[in-house]
């Protein structure tokens, strides 16, 4: 049985800026869907392709804290440089994914990579926040880069490919190891392509159209739309007449309270207050 489309949500009229290097639409929860409804996914920001122009000073976001979740950055165009207070550094380029576990608390900064910044060019990324259940919110910070070649890749018979970043598609497993069951599928379909994507019955599921248009379970969907599915079926059918890129997220909900304050996501107000105290006391480390 196919999953029913619950809602088709469109982007706001205008994007917002994060630092001076990211021009984003807040898709989750900004398109109007609650964090609880799409748990374990807390947030999704989309920076559509935008040329910031060449600059000798790299644009981005200065050091800032995170605690209680994981941040996943998917690069479609351009390149970014990361460093954090746990001593991790890395560069992700188009096609790569950065996976940072904030866990017990970390400072990090993210900028346009130096060579990319100097020559200019289009930057297109998605950043996700993935919740951690209570028992894992205090794990040590961790950091991984997954190059495009690291993904589980499934070629489709009728044109296209599904890159498995996390989870399992038809027995092909992604490189990311997650704390709760979830799938992150980067779907690229050629003109005339079709994909039938299985979804575990207990997962919440959304689909975001990065580029192109699609017909999803017989429903036409415009570019940059977010589809929220009902929890009533076990697969989603996607057909396209033009080349399209889509991002499918599904995951088992975490049945715990979600209490957020800026960059901290915990289970109670008391834990949020303690996170602020710990940050102010320098317990997240140092980062210039």
């Amino acid at each position: 049985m196919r999953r029913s489309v619950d809602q088709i949500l469109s982007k706001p009229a205008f994007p917002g800026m994060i630092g001076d290097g990211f021009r984003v639409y807040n898709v989750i929860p900004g398109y109007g869907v609650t964090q609880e409804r799409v748990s374990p996914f807390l947030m999704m920001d989309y920076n559509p392709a935008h040329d910031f122009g060449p600059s000798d000073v790299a644009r981005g976001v200065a050091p800032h804290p995170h605690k209680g979740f994981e941040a996943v950055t998917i690069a479609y165009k351009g390149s970014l440089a990361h460093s954090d207070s746990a001593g991790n550094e890395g560069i992700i380029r188009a096609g790569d994914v950065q996976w940072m576990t904030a866990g017990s608390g970390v400072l990090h900064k993210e900028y346009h990579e130096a060579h990319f910044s100097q020559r200019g060019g289009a930057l297109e990324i998605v950043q996700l926040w993935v919740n951690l259940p209570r028992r894992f919110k205090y794990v040590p910070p961790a950091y991984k880069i997954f190059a495009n070649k690291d993904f589980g890749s499934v070629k489709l018979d009728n044109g296209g490919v599904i890159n498995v970043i996390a989870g399992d598609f038809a027995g092909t497993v992604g490189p990311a190891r997650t704390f709760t069951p979830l799938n992150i599928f980067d779907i690229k379909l050629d003109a005339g392509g079709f994909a039938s994507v299985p979804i575990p019955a207990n997962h919440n599921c959304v689909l975001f159209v990065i580029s192109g248009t699609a017909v999803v379970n017989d429903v036409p969907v415009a570019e940059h739309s977010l589809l929220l599915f009902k929890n009533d079926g076990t697969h989603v059918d996607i057909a396209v007449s033009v080349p399209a890129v889509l991002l499918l997220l599904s995951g088992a909900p975490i049945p715990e309270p979600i209490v957020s304050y800026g960059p901290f996501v915990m289970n109670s107000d008391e834990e949020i207050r303690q996170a602020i105290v710990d940050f102010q006391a320098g317990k997240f480390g140092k980062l210039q």
Side-chain angles (χ1 to χ4, degrees):
M1 176 181 173
R2 295 195 304 194
R3 286 209 169 198
S4 305
V5 175
D6 188 5
Q7 297 181 65
I8 301 176
L9 304 161
S10 300
K11 69 183 181 184
F14 302 102
M17 288 296 297
I18 297 179
D20 63 358
F22 303 99
R23 181 179 178 271
V24 306
Y25 291 94
N26 178 233
V27 179
I28 297 171
Y31 276 32
V33 61
T34 66
Q35 293 175 322
E36 288 79 7
R37 178 64 181 83
V38 295
S39 174
F41 302 101
L42 296 165
M43 189 204 76
M44 176 177 170
D45 277 346
Y46 174 56
N47 186 132
H50 179 76
D51 192 334
F52 286 86
S55 174
D56 291 332
V57 178
R59 302 177 177 92
V61 182
H64 58 284
H66 289 303
K67 182 174 183 174
F69 62 93
E70 300 188 281
V72 180
T73 304
I74 305 170
Y76 291 94
K77 296 178 181 177
S79 56
L80 299 175
H82 162 99
S83 59
D84 64 44
S85 57
N88 301 300
E89 295 185 350
I91 294 172
I92 60 168
R93 297 177 172 84
D96 298 344
V97 171
Q98 172 180 278
W99 199 290
M100 185 186 77
T101 303
S104 60
V106 70
L107 306 178
H108 88 131
K109 60 182 180 181
E110 207 157 30
Y111 283 86
H112 298 185
E113 184 271 329
H115 296 295
F116 170 72
S117 183
Q118 289 165 7
R119 68 176 180 270
L123 179 71
E124 182 179 22
I125 65 165
V126 163
Q127 185 170 94
L128 307 169
W129 288 9
V130 181
N131 201 9
L132 290 171
R134 179 182 286 111
R135 68 185 183 278
F136 293 125
K137 283 191 178 291
Y138 294 91
V139 297
Y143 177 80
K144 290 277 189 181
I145 290 178
F146 302 116
N148 185 260
K149 63 180 177 59
D150 298 328
F151 302 145
S153 184
V154 179
K155 291 186 177 180
L156 303 172
D157 293 338
N158 47 7
V161 64
I162 294 181
N163 293 315
V164 183
I165 298 170
D168 181 310
F169 176 83
T172 296
V173 177
R177 297 295 172 257
T178 62
F179 288 88
T180 59
L182 60 89
N183 295 316
I184 301 178
F185 299 153
D186 169 41
I187 303 171
K188 294 179 168 67
L189 297 178
D190 300 334
F194 174 82
S196 185
V197 184
I199 309 297
N202 67 326
H203 280 204
N204 292 327
C205 182
V206 295
L207 179 71
F208 186 67
V209 183
I210 300 288
S211 64
T213 58
V215 176
V216 180
N217 293 351
D218 301 325
V219 178
V221 183
E223 187 174 69
H224 299 167
S225 296
L226 180 73
L227 281 81
L228 174 65
F229 294 95
K230 296 180 180 178
N231 295 63
D232 63 353
T234 56
H235 71 279
V236 171
D237 290 339
I238 307 166
V240 302
S241 57
V242 298
V245 178
L246 309 101
L247 182 64
L248 187 141
L249 311 174
S250 79
I254 299 172
E256 297 173 0
I258 299 171
V259 181
S260 302
Y261 182 80
F264 309 128
V265 183
M266 305 302 289
N267 298 116
S268 68
D269 291 335
E270 181 181 357
E271 289 175 308
I272 290 292
R273 287 192 290 270
Q274 187 62 52
I276 296 169
V277 169
D278 290 346
F279 164 61
Q280 292 174 339
K283 293 184 179 180
F284 289 10
K286 296 181 180 180
L287 183 64
Q288 297 299 317

